[in-house]
Amino acid sequence: MVKIAPSLLSADFANLGRDIEVTETAGADWIHIDVMDGSFVPNISFGLPVIKAIRPLTKLTFDVHLMIREPSNFFEAFAEAGADLINFHYEAETHIDRAIQRIKGLGVMAGITLNPATPVSVLKHILPELDLVLIMSVNPGFGGQSFIPYSLDKVRELRQMADVLNPSLMIEIDGGIGENNIRAAAEAGADVIVAGSAVYRNNEISENMMKLRKALR
């Protein structure tokens, strides 16, 4: 079954605890947490103190997406804060293999994110070491952007690679996902769908989650 991972970047920051509770009750599978540094991406979001504060509020998987430079400097801190999966950008780290092994050594899942223009072929030799690959379907940094159509081609290509090199690999897609394209993303091979605005729009979390589940059928 395809997982839905609502992105807290689109939640009400003044009421994160409430939104997390409603999100879990509405049937979310994971919580997607975008960590931005204002350097690798042109925005700043939340960091370690917020993750520590909200970790006791839910047992859902914390999918921590590091949109920061030199992310390996912070792997241990995010694992201690409560991350279940640490996901860093291929474009932000120099020693990719070493970084993956460090994450796995912390006892959490290891993931890599690819920006829209980065080809999936760069992952060929390290794919067997990964638990997840995230395909960005918008340029990272802001919520509410329009979906980039060729992202589905990247998901299909990655699925074919994974079937040979790592059949258990989870493929995640993030950016511009809503009722109109969530099924296409799943049919292309995505196992985890990140949705921000589509979940938290108009503060109608339960209704929006129901619409997304219905669109997946």
Side-chain angles (χ1 to χ4, degrees), residues 206-217:
S206 297
E207 294 85 348
N208 292 335
M209 282 290 293
M210 287 178 60
K211 290 176 182 177
L212 289 174
R213 289 290 185 198
K214 184 177 180 180
L216 273 171
R217 295 173 190 163

Side-chain angles (χ1 to χ4, degrees), residues 35-72:
V35 178
M36 305 180 185
D37 63 359
S39 177
F40 181 69
V41 293
N43 199 4
I44 296 174
S45 59
F46 25 59
L48 290 163
V50 172
I51 295 173
K52 288 179 181 177
I54 64 176
R55 178 67 278 185
L57 303 180
T58 178
K59 294 182 179 179
L60 291 180
T61 295
F62 272 15
D63 170 21
V64 177
H65 177 194
L66 301 182
M67 290 187 260
I68 63 177
R69 295 193 184 279
E70 299 182 352
S72 58

Side-chain angles (χ1 to χ4, degrees), residues 5-11 144 174-177 194-201 208 212:
S7 172
L8 289 186
L9 188 65
S10 296
D174 179 7
I177 299 290
V194 177
S197 302
V199 171
Y200 294 104
R201 183 181 297 113
N208 292 335
L212 289 174

Side-chain angles (χ1 to χ4, degrees), residues 174-195:
D174 179 7
I177 299 290
E179 295 173 66
N180 64 322
N181 57 11
I182 189 171
R183 185 170 180 175
E187 289 177 345
D191 305 290
V192 184
I193 311 285
V194 177

